[in-house]
Amino acid sequence: MTWFLDHVSDVLSLTGKHVYLAGVPLVLGLLIAIPIGWLARRYKVLYPPLIMGTGLLYTIPSLALFILMPLFIGTRILDPVNVVVAMTIYTVALLVRTVADGLGAVPEAVTQSATAMGFKRVRRLFMVELPLAVPVISAGMRVAAVSNVSIVSVAAIIGVPQLGSLFTDGFRRDFTDPIVVGILACVLLAITFDLVIIAITRLLTPWQQVRRATR
Amino acid sequence: MNDVLSWLTASAHWTGEDGIPQRLLEHLYYSGVALLIAAVIAIPLGLFVGHTGRGRFVVVNAAGAARAVPSLGLLFVSVLVLGPRLTGDTAFVVPCEIVLVVLAIPPILAGAYAGVEEVDPAVRDAAKGMGMRGPEVLARVEIPCALPLIFSGLRSGALQVVATATIAATVGLGGLGRFLIDGLAVRDYSQMAAGAVLVAVLALVVDLGFALIQRYAVSPGLTGRIGTRLGAERNEALDPSVTSADTRESGRA
């Protein structure tokens, strides 16, 4: 506890880096997963290869992916960009399936009504299908957010500073306090990400609140 | 890229105590032991929860919470806390195995529990109507029907374990992770990258292996490998290469 009080500012600055390394890929991953998920839903032939292909990316252990990144994008091994790109890959791997399934869960009658009202394909996607898929996509985002926060900490091994640095630092000095603080900070951060996503989902899906209230 | 290839193909790296085959065996050994222990604990527990509905709340939340705990931190704490109480090699191996088991339990538990719980109630009723009792329903109907999800839980547990066993090299364990950590220590990028390739390939092979076992261990009536129309639709839904998302989401370190 005293260790934490003495190092509050360090922990906060590491937390800030952690938020960046886990949060930016979450947004980028979603932006990339939406068109891929849409393709998988729109063209049935593409569904199995796209879902399987992205699923396979998710099997690659994080430390291995961090280390291999420079080979693919030509960065230096210590560059935090490696972590951002690797985390984006994981996020895409998780979300493509979610987006495809979320779009698939939009009732046929709704899309047909939208078409009948004169919505063209792109406008229908953004104004009708995606908003209705928000609850499903949000469930996937919550999983991705929580696992991102945990995975990013592994990057401490290759020397990219964030909350995981507390683990390597504590282990090197045979001192559990920083490690325990780091674990708690990671869990708190994961919960915070989760709450933020829940809040955004509520804002984006006002009809669900109405339904709940009138029930 | 060429350096990595020449590292991988150099014959010196394929023999001896710290050669690739030896490291691979170590990796598989740590992972196999952990997965076995985790399965022995988690599968009966999951079946019990799914069958009786008791302790549902705990199981569902444990799986979610486990996802949030960073495995690297857990590993370091357990080595620092347990290590001094043990001697020799066990001082590293035992804490690591404990962490690997702890990480593998939630996905396996969730798979077994969800598999049994999601059995069609009509099927369960039919079994009871045929005169089966609770344990018999579980053994002859629920477990066979739950196999796809049980395997998908094992599969994500296995991935989690294989990935975390890589990290375990940071606390002095063997396994393929050694190449990554030793390469890092001496700034030998080709060794690191070659190790990373090996780890990634191992994870893919393990994943595909489980997909194959899943495909052939599950009753054809469930996977739809018999050619009914209904079967063909279910085949799509239960294709092991596609199904495992629910539980595999937690499979990561």
Side-chain angles (χ1 to χ4, degrees):
Chain A
M1 193 63 202
T2 48
W3 182 88
F4 175 61
L5 293 176
D6 290 344
H7 295 81
V8 173
S9 65
D10 295 342
V11 174
L12 282 180
S13 101
L14 290 174
T15 308
K17 288 175 181 137
H18 208 104
V19 168
Y20 174 81
L21 291 173
V24 169
L26 211 55
V27 178
L28 289 179
L30 179 64
L31 292 180
I32 298 170
I34 286 176
I36 302 180
W38 179 80
L39 272 179
R41 179 49 58 184
R42 177 75 182 70
Y43 302 98
K44 248 193 148 180
V45 222
L46 291 179
Y47 186 84
L50 281 178
I51 300 296
M52 256 178 75
T54 48
L56 281 182
L57 287 176
Y58 198 74
T59 61
I60 302 171
S62 47
L63 185 58
L65 194 57
F66 293 152
I67 290 175
L68 289 176
M69 270 298 113
L71 280 184
F72 297 116
I73 56 177
T75 40
R76 299 172 64 94
I77 182 73
L78 282 175
D79 198 330
V81 170
N82 295 328
V83 178
V84 173
V85 175
M87 295 315 299
T88 305
I89 291 177
Y90 285 138
T91 311
V92 171
L94 273 179
L95 287 183
V96 165
R97 189 199 170 90
T98 316
V99 171
D101 293 352
L103 291 176
V106 176
E108 187 75 24
V110 173
T111 48
Q112 283 181 354
S113 314
T115 313
M117 285 173 71
F119 282 78
K120 292 276 187 301
R121 186 167 292 155
V122 175
R123 201 161 145 246
R124 195 182 73 193
L125 173 68
F126 283 101
M127 300 197 58
V128 179
E129 290 165 291
L130 271 181
L132 286 178
V134 164
V136 178
I137 297 176
S138 137
M141 285 288 278
R142 290 176 60 188
V143 173
V146 171
S147 73
N148 273 14
V149 169
S150 160
I151 300 170
V152 161
S153 65
V154 172
I157 298 178
I158 53 165
V160 176
Q162 26 69 31
L163 287 173
S165 311
L166 296 175
F167 305 155
T168 43
D169 180 47
F171 187 69
R172 206 169 289 137
R173 295 191 287 142
D174 201 353
F175 185 34
T176 48
D177 285 12
I179 307 183
V180 172
V181 169
I183 293 179
L184 290 178
C186 277
V187 172
L188 281 179
L189 194 58
I191 295 173
T192 312
F193 270 48
D194 201 42
L195 291 177
V196 169
I197 294 173
I198 292 176
I200 295 174
T201 310
R202 289 217 164 169
L203 285 177
L204 290 176
T205 57
W207 64 88
Q208 291 210 319
Q209 265 63 50
V210 175
R211 193 185 291 162
R212 224 167 270 150
T214 54
R215 196 173 278 164
Chain B
M1 202 67 107
N2 281 331
D3 294 342
V4 179
L5 264 184
S6 56
W7 194 95
L8 276 174
T9 46
S11 58
H13 297 139
W14 286 89
T15 51
E17 276 283 280
D18 52 359
I20 294 168
Q22 176 66 24
R23 293 299 185 207
L24 178 66
L25 280 181
E26 287 168 357
H27 206 108
L28 288 174
Y29 175 73
Y30 301 138
S31 309
V33 169
L35 194 66
L36 197 69
I37 298 175
V40 167
I41 298 171
I43 291 182
L45 197 59
L47 295 177
F48 173 81
V49 172
H51 185 69
T52 61
R54 275 181 229 163
R56 221 177 137 249
F57 180 80
V58 178
V59 170
V60 172
N61 286 295
R67 212 176 271 149
V69 177
S71 38
L72 185 66
L74 198 60
L75 183 70
F76 286 170
V77 166
S78 101
V79 171
L80 287 187
V81 172
L82 296 173
R85 285 152 225 253
L86 303 158
T87 49
D89 267 359
T90 53
F92 297 110
V93 177
V94 171
C96 286
E97 289 288 352
I98 290 176
V99 171
L100 294 180
V101 169
V102 166
L103 290 171
I105 284 179
I108 302 177
L109 189 60
Y113 144 77
V116 172
E117 204 200 41
E118 278 168 25
V119 172
D120 188 343
V123 174
R124 205 176 283 139
D125 285 347
K128 281 184 192 147
M130 285 171 71
M132 292 189 193
R133 299 196 175 271
E136 225 180 333
V137 175
L138 180 67
R140 295 181 56 188
V141 178
E142 288 176 330
I143 292 179
C145 287
L147 275 183
L149 280 180
I150 293 178
F151 274 111
S152 100
L154 279 173
R155 187 174 163 188
S156 42
L159 280 181
Q160 172 88 22
V161 167
V162 166
T164 311
T166 313
I167 301 173
T170 48
V171 296
L173 217 60
L176 292 174
R178 281 257 63 86
F179 298 124
L180 314 192
I181 304 304
D182 296 345
L184 185 69
V186 296
R187 308 255 159 236
D188 176 1
Y189 183 73
S190 22
Q191 183 184 350
M192 282 170 83
V197 169
L198 292 171
V199 168
V201 170
L202 177 66
L204 291 177
V205 169
V206 166
D207 193 45
L208 293 178
F210 269 93
L212 276 181
I213 298 174
Q214 183 175 3
R215 171 156 263 176
Y216 290 100
V218 172
S219 154
L222 277 171
T223 57
R225 271 180 289 120
I226 43 176
T228 58
R229 212 183 112 43
L230 179 75
E233 273 162 28
R234 299 202 59 166
N235 192 18
E236 216 162 77
L238 288 169
D239 186 341
S241 52
V242 192
T243 24
S244 47
D246 309 13
T247 44
R248 77 183 306 171
E249 281 152 0
S250 56
R252 176 109 327 259

